[in-house]
């Protein structure tokens, strides 16, 4: 009888565990290969084909060490910890949020990522998550106590007396792979803190530390009340004030083309745009740059014959006249895949300009092209492939790519996006318009995957040093 | 969260654990090795040893004073201290006669000892006997990666489950970038750490031909073939270059 029970269990086990989506399943492996391997490496060692374009570097899963955990320092993360990093991404780094994947896909990836290190098979290595205590009142007294502790615990040695990340030990810091690493500039506020922006996230980071980085755990040094005092002091150093809602992880938005009857002019400040809902898209830098475009506000309108996209973002300087090789231009680009569905992650190409199976189309606008057009009525755009220049009347260049480094031009006769941009009072406003005729890829679809990238020239953004979104869905009429 | 799915995952990964853990672990043979041979020798430095490098003490200089690198210590005889010598590929044999636990100190802004040779699953205590704070940051390939801040004159325990398998763990202090140490977790008790004259000796080796592995933090890893005969004493001296 007992034997029967055992073999029944074994049978159920083999059936359940062989079903798709579970622990190292084919689906998870394919998803990983498609969307994760370019950065994290096919073998999980953090050395993918995009590795050289990224800083901070993508996680090397083979070491079994993770920064963002609820478990004590020196312990592997829980499944939920890995799940959170995949779903919401990591602020201020190139790790995007994959919240549009299904629960099953996310859970499958968690299990797949764990297969790269045997530490997850060692039950004894695992420790229980730390206890998060209730937040104390954020009073002047708490901040003052936190300030005292900040010096006593030598936080200032790395993060600096004023929290600017410039303490005496800052310059010598390296991570576990011997890559240089900079302490966080606490005056930037919590939004770019990699461990999360909410009070509880900062508390947790102090208790667990960020393993594999120089940020240690203060679990032995601070009691809960003191930990909250340090959290409050850290928050008091922020020069940015934010409400609680903006501190929570953001969902990847869906863009909807608003049906319009009016004719829009090419003027980016056409009044008609005032009636079109704007969607804010947070961008993440591929490289830790001085600064980058952190958010782009996107509006999409669709008339009977045209699709119109307007993008706005803050940029203190208009980098439009490129005189020297050390000057860089501002820019924005929107990428789409005509042949893929935004919901099918196995059919969707890699976010980094597509892959060898799926081609992406990119509409790119550059500030110096705009300057030339405003001045002369035309711009000479150089081909990435042949170096030949072609004369254009639009500051928007349409290109195709099948993976990074594969930008390919399309003939001038097939360039079908017009546009215009203005910079005023620290804001760029760019309009791109495509005629929805037989030449238009967009005219044939109801929804398709899109992504946005932007460059801030005066912060030395150029080429792969840019800020990007993940794949979003664009709904058309 | 879809609970049934999650619990299924847990169930399946638990099964994986049962089937996969406990691979290739050294076993002590009851009664020890009866007709073993022994091996002794020295790890020598080939060439003129460079003088100990003075390190850049850029923080807390008033307490830490001058510091010199310990990454290559060559004794008067030309022997190299802190090399780890191991007869590899022995899956079972004599009992471990390694310390049951360790003490690792931070004193005068120096980790002591500089290299520890331990058996897997050794617990111990980490001390900070300095009047200033340090942080103990361990770096390894999937063994134990901790980073804990330690105030002046404090101690903390490392559970024996943490040093969970053989391999090399580097230790550093991020506040004092020159501080460095190594914890070497041996695969088998046929492993020795060279003394200040570069000498080592390993006993009760089952007869056979083996690879002798040498690890040194600065000089890297190298291998030699050795043959151990029953009841006899083998000698092996190895010279290493920069």
């Amino acid at each position: 009888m007992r034997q029967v029970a055992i073999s029944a269990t074994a049978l159920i086990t083999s059936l359940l565990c062989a079903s798709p989506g579970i622990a190292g399943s084919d689906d998870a492996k394919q998803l990983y290969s498609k969307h994760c391997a370019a950065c994290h490496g096919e073998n999980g060692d953090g050395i993918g084909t995009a590795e050289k374009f990224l800083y901070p570097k993508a996680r090397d899963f083979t070491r079994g060490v993770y920064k963002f955990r609820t478990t004590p320092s020196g312990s592997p993360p829980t499944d939920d910890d890995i799940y959170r990093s995949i779903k919401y991404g990591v602020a201020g780094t190139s790790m995007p949020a994959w919240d549009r994947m299904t629960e099953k896909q996310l859970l499958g990836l968690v299990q797949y990522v764990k297969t790269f290190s045997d530490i997850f098979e060692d039950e004894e290595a695992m420790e229980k998550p730390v206890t998060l205590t209730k937040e104390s009142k954020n009073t002047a007294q708490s901040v003052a106590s936190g300030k005292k502790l900040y010096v006593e615990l030598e936080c200032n040695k790395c993060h600096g007396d004023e929290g600017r990340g410039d303490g005496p030990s800052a310059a010598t810091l390296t991570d576990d792979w011997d890559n240089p690493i900079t302490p966080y500039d606490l005056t930037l506020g919590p939004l770019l803190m990699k461990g999360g922006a909410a009070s509880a996230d900062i508390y947790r980071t102090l208790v667990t530390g960020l393993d594999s980085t120089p940020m240690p755990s203060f679990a032995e040094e601070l009691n809960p009340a003191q930990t909250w005092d340090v959290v409050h002091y850290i928050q008091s150093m922020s020069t940015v004030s934010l409400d609680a809602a903006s501190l929570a992880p953001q969902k990847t938005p869906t863009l909807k083309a608003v049906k319009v009857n009016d004719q829009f002019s090419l003027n980016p400040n056409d009044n008609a745009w005032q009636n079109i809902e704007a969607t804010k898209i947070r961008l993440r830098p591929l490289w830790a740059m001085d600064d980058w475009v952190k958010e782009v506000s996107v509006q999409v309108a669709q008339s009977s014959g045209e699709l119109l996209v307007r993008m706005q973002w803050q940029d203190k300087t208009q980098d439009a006249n490129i005189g020297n090789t050390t000057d860089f231009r501002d820019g924005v680009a929107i990428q789409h895949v005509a042949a893929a569905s935004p919901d099918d992650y196995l059919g969707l190409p890699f976010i980094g300009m597509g892959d060898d199976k799926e081609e992406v189309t990119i509409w790119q606008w550059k500030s110096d092209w705009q300057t030339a057009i405003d001045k002369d009525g035309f711009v000479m755009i150089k081909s990435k492939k042949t170096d030949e220049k072609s004369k254009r009347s639009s500051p928007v260049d349409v290109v195709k790519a099948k993976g990074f480094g594969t930008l390919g031009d399309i003939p001038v006769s097939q360039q079908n996006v017009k546009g215009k941009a203005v910079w005023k009072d620290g804001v760029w406003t760019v309009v791109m318009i495509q005629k929805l005729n037989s030449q238009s890829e967009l005219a044939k679809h109801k929804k398709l995957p899109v992504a946005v990238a932007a460059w801030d020239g005066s912060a030395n953004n150029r080429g792969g040093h840019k800020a990007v979104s993940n794949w979003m869905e664009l709904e058309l009429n | 969260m879809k609970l049934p799915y999650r619990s299924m995952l847990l169930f399946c990964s638990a099964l994986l654990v049962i089937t996969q853990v406990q691979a290739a672990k050294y076993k002590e043979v009851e009664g020890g090795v009866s007709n073993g041979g022994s091996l002794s020798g020295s790890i020598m430095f080939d060439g003129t040893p460079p003088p100990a490098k003075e390190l850049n003490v850029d923080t807390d200089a008033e307490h830490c004073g001058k510091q010199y690198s310990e990454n290559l210590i060559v004794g008067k005889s030309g022997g190299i201290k802190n090399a780890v010598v191991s007869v590899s590929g022995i899956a079972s044999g004599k009992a471990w006669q390694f310390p049951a636990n360790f003490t690792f100190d931070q004193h005068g802004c120096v980790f002591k000892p500089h290299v520890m040779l331990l058996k897997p699953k050794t617990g111990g205590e980490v001390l900070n006997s300095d009047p200033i704070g340090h942080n103990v940051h361990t770096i390894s390939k999937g063994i134990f990666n901790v980073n804990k801040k330690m105030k002046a004159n404090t101690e903390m325990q490392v559970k024996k489950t943490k040093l969970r398998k053989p391999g090399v763990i580097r230790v550093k202090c991020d506040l004092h970038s020159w501080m460095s140490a190594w914890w070497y977790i041996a695969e088998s008790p046929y492993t020795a750490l060279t003394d200040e004259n570069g000498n080592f000796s390993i006993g009760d080796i089952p007869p056979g031909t083996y690879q002798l592995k040498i690890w040194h933090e600065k000089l890297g890893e190298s291998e030699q073939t050795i043959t151990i005969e029953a009841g006899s004493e083998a000698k092996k001296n190895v010279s290493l270059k920069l």
Side-chain angles (χ1 to χ4, degrees):
Chain A
M1 186 61 212
R2 203 165 143 233
Q3 282 227 314
V4 176
I6 291 171
S7 42
T9 315
L11 180 68
I12 294 167
T13 305
S14 56
L15 284 175
L16 283 180
C17 301
S19 64
I22 298 181
S25 76
D26 289 353
D27 255 21
K29 190 175 171 17
Q30 277 185 51
L31 277 175
Y32 181 88
S33 282
K34 193 111 201 174
H35 300 290
C36 316
C39 302
H40 292 285
E42 204 65 61
N43 304 317
D45 55 7
I47 305 174
T49 47
E51 187 261 341
K52 61 175 184 280
F53 300 107
L54 307 175
Y55 186 79
K57 297 296 170 196
R59 181 97 321 213
D60 164 2
F61 298 123
T62 63
R63 295 252 188 131
V65 56
Y66 287 73
K67 288 192 192 105
F68 314 114
R69 306 170 332 278
T70 54
T71 53
S73 178
S75 177
T78 65
D79 284 11
D80 279 341
D81 293 339
I82 303 175
Y83 171 90
R84 256 198 334 273
S85 291
I86 302 175
K87 183 165 181 175
Y88 302 117
V90 180
T93 79
S94 52
M95 175 64 185
W98 297 97
D99 59 318
R100 295 185 64 258
M101 278 193 183
T102 65
E103 201 68 8
K104 193 174 158 184
Q105 288 173 326
L106 290 169
L107 293 172
L109 281 174
V110 170
Q111 295 309 320
Y112 190 72
V113 157
K114 284 167 63 183
T115 62
F116 293 122
S117 168
D118 69 358
I119 200 164
F120 294 104
E121 293 160 23
D122 187 347
E123 274 184 339
E124 288 183 340
M126 195 72 205
E127 286 184 69
K128 282 202 186 81
V130 299
T131 314
L132 288 186
T133 58
K134 192 168 170 281
E135 182 167 3
S136 63
K137 272 214 171 108
N138 190 347
T139 59
Q141 202 188 355
S142 171
V143 171
S145 154
K147 183 172 182 170
K148 216 169 133 245
L149 288 162
Y150 180 85
V151 175
E152 262 176 46
L153 296 175
E154 301 169 282
C155 307
N156 56 335
K157 284 240 172 98
C158 298
H159 291 284
D161 290 336
E162 314 282 320
R164 293 188 191 282
D166 57 356
S169 299
T172 60
L173 300 180
T174 52
D175 68 11
D176 283 11
W177 292 261
D178 292 328
N179 291 313
I181 189 169
T182 45
Y184 189 69
D185 177 349
L186 299 165
T187 65
L188 295 176
L191 214 51
L192 294 170
M193 286 182 182
K194 297 178 180 68
S199 299
D201 295 324
I202 305 172
Y203 181 99
R204 199 188 54 237
T205 299
L206 288 168
V207 177
T208 65
L210 301 176
D211 284 0
S212 77
T213 81
M215 174 67 187
S217 150
F218 291 87
E220 323 265 336
E221 308 222 291
L222 290 168
N223 65 34
Q226 291 172 322
T227 312
W228 281 118
D229 290 344
V230 177
V231 171
H232 295 149
Y233 177 59
I234 288 170
Q235 290 170 329
S236 78
M237 284 190 266
S238 169
T239 52
V240 188
S241 69
L242 295 155
D243 54 28
S246 60
L247 297 179
Q250 267 200 342
K251 272 181 78 174
T252 300
T254 292
L255 300 173
K256 285 185 184 139
V258 179
K259 219 171 180 172
V260 291
N261 298 318
D262 357 342
Q263 282 300 307
F264 284 64
S265 71
L266 201 55
N267 174 10
N269 290 321
D270 192 314
N271 278 336
W273 284 107
Q274 285 178 10
N275 306 319
I276 311 291
E277 197 196 339
T279 305
K280 286 184 173 159
I281 298 162
R282 270 190 202 168
L283 303 189
R284 289 185 176 166
L286 297 188
W287 196 266
M289 302 170 289
D290 306 343
D291 202 2
W292 64 89
V293 179
K294 299 195 175 69
E295 192 174 74
V296 175
S297 180
V298 180
Q299 293 161 286
V300 187
Q302 188 176 358
S303 68
S304 56
E306 286 179 331
L307 185 86
L308 308 97
V309 181
R310 184 167 89 144
M311 292 183 269
Q312 283 187 302
W313 69 95
Q314 288 184 2
D315 185 345
K316 285 188 201 110
T317 48
Q318 179 186 12
D319 305 308
N321 296 298
I322 312 302
N324 303 310
T325 47
T326 50
D327 293 339
F328 301 102
R329 55 197 178 178
D330 296 327
V332 76
I334 186 161
Q335 149 182 305
H336 70 263
V337 196
S341 154
D343 300 321
D344 172 20
Y345 273 97
L346 289 175
L348 199 56
F350 176 59
I351 180 73
M353 296 160 75
D355 53 38
D356 53 2
K357 288 187 190 65
E358 295 296 337
E359 187 176 61
V360 300
T361 304
I362 300 166
W363 301 357
Q364 55 174 354
W365 168 89
K366 306 285 180 197
S367 57
D368 57 332
W369 297 346
Q370 188 67 55
T371 308
I373 285 176
D374 292 346
K375 189 165 154 271
D376 307 321
F378 68 91
V379 60
M380 300 303 289
I381 294 181
K382 198 157 95 177
S383 158
K384 284 264 179 193
K385 272 193 176 157
T386 63
D387 264 8
E388 270 175 49
K389 285 186 172 179
S390 60
K391 190 175 176 177
R392 311 284 185 85
S393 57
S394 168
V396 181
D397 181 28
V398 181
V399 289
K400 304 263 185 186
K402 276 189 139 186
F404 31 79
T406 66
L407 268 189
D409 315 272
I410 60 169
V412 180
S413 59
Q414 287 171 34
Q415 291 288 335
N416 57 356
V417 180
K418 56 183 181 174
K420 186 174 167 60
V422 289
W423 182 91
K424 193 170 180 274
D425 301 335
V427 177
W428 270 116
T429 306
V430 178
V431 165
M432 299 182 184
I433 302 176
Q434 182 172 73
K435 276 214 157 57
L436 296 172
N437 54 24
S438 60
Q439 263 196 17
S440 165
E441 288 172 343
L442 302 178
K444 297 167 202 142
H445 296 90
K446 285 277 179 233
K447 61 178 186 181
L448 71 172
V450 295
V452 172
W455 292 258
D456 177 2
S458 49
N460 292 338
N461 294 189
R462 77 274 193 190
H465 288 203
K466 61 186 172 186
V468 298
S469 77
N470 200 352
W471 286 120
M472 298 170 286
E473 176 181 332
L474 170 62
E475 282 180 21
L476 300 168
N477 295 297
Chain B
M1 203 116 317
K2 291 164 194 164
L3 265 175
Y5 188 76
R6 288 223 118 179
S7 36
M8 222 158 79
L9 276 179
L10 271 178
F11 177 60
C12 296
S13 34
L15 279 171
L16 272 177
V17 168
I18 293 161
T19 51
Q20 289 182 5
V21 150
Q22 315 283 345
K25 212 178 139 194
Y26 179 80
K27 275 200 192 98
E28 294 179 347
V29 171
E30 224 170 292
V33 175
S34 53
N35 58 343
S38 70
L39 174 73
S40 61
S42 310
I43 307 300
M44 306 300 292
F45 187 75
D46 184 355
T48 312
K53 195 180 152 202
E54 187 176 344
L55 299 167
N56 181 21
V57 177
D58 45 10
T59 318
D60 292 325
E62 63 286 5
H63 170 73
C64 300
K66 282 196 174 189
Q67 296 286 342
Y68 294 90
S69 171
E70 293 182 281
N71 68 5
L72 179 61
I73 302 170
V74 180
K76 286 199 180 98
S77 63
I80 302 167
K81 192 186 177 187
N82 285 334
V84 176
V85 181
S86 56
V87 182
S88 73
I90 305 180
S92 61
K94 68 173 177 180
W96 289 96
Q97 282 174 326
F98 275 53
N101 45 55
F102 65 82
T103 302
F104 182 71
D105 196 5
Q106 301 163 90
H107 187 73
C109 306
V110 177
F111 286 126
K112 290 181 176 168
H114 183 63
V115 178
M116 285 201 298
L117 176 63
L118 302 166
K119 65 173 178 177
K121 307 265 168 122
T122 309
E125 55 184 1
V126 175
L127 310 176
N128 177 8
S129 347
D130 274 338
I132 57 167
H134 289 295
N135 69 308
V136 177
H137 180 166
T138 63
I139 301 169
S140 68
K141 290 187 178 153
I143 307 171
F144 179 44
N145 299 284
V146 75
N147 188 357
K148 281 212 172 163
K149 179 72 201 325
M150 291 182 74
K151 270 193 251 193
N153 301 307
T154 53
E155 57 180 76
M156 76 171 190
Q157 299 298 316
V158 174
K159 284 186 206 160
K160 60 182 188 180
T161 49
K162 291 296 176 186
L163 306 188
R164 59 185 201 94
K165 64 172 187 178
V168 182
I169 299 177
R170 175 155 71 99
V171 188
K172 66 173 181 173
C173 170
D174 299 292
L175 288 171
H176 307 108
S177 58
W178 64 86
M179 289 175 73
S180 160
W182 303 83
W183 301 352
Y184 191 104
I185 306 173
E187 246 169 49
S188 79
Y190 299 102
T191 310
L193 185 65
T194 57
D195 64 18
E196 54 275 15
N197 296 313
N199 297 331
F200 68 92
S201 87
I202 300 168
D204 295 328
I205 308 168
T209 298
Y210 302 102
Q211 288 304 108
L212 184 71
K213 286 191 181 170
I214 299 148
W215 172 92
H216 183 269
E217 61 170 296
K218 174 85 175 164
L219 306 172
E221 287 175 291
S222 54
E223 279 190 10
Q224 306 274 329
T225 304
I226 49 155
T227 300
I228 304 292
E229 283 166 16
S232 69
E233 290 178 25
K235 290 266 175 204
K236 185 81 188 173
N237 291 340
V238 179
S239 289
L240 300 177
K241 270 193 218 180
L242 256 179

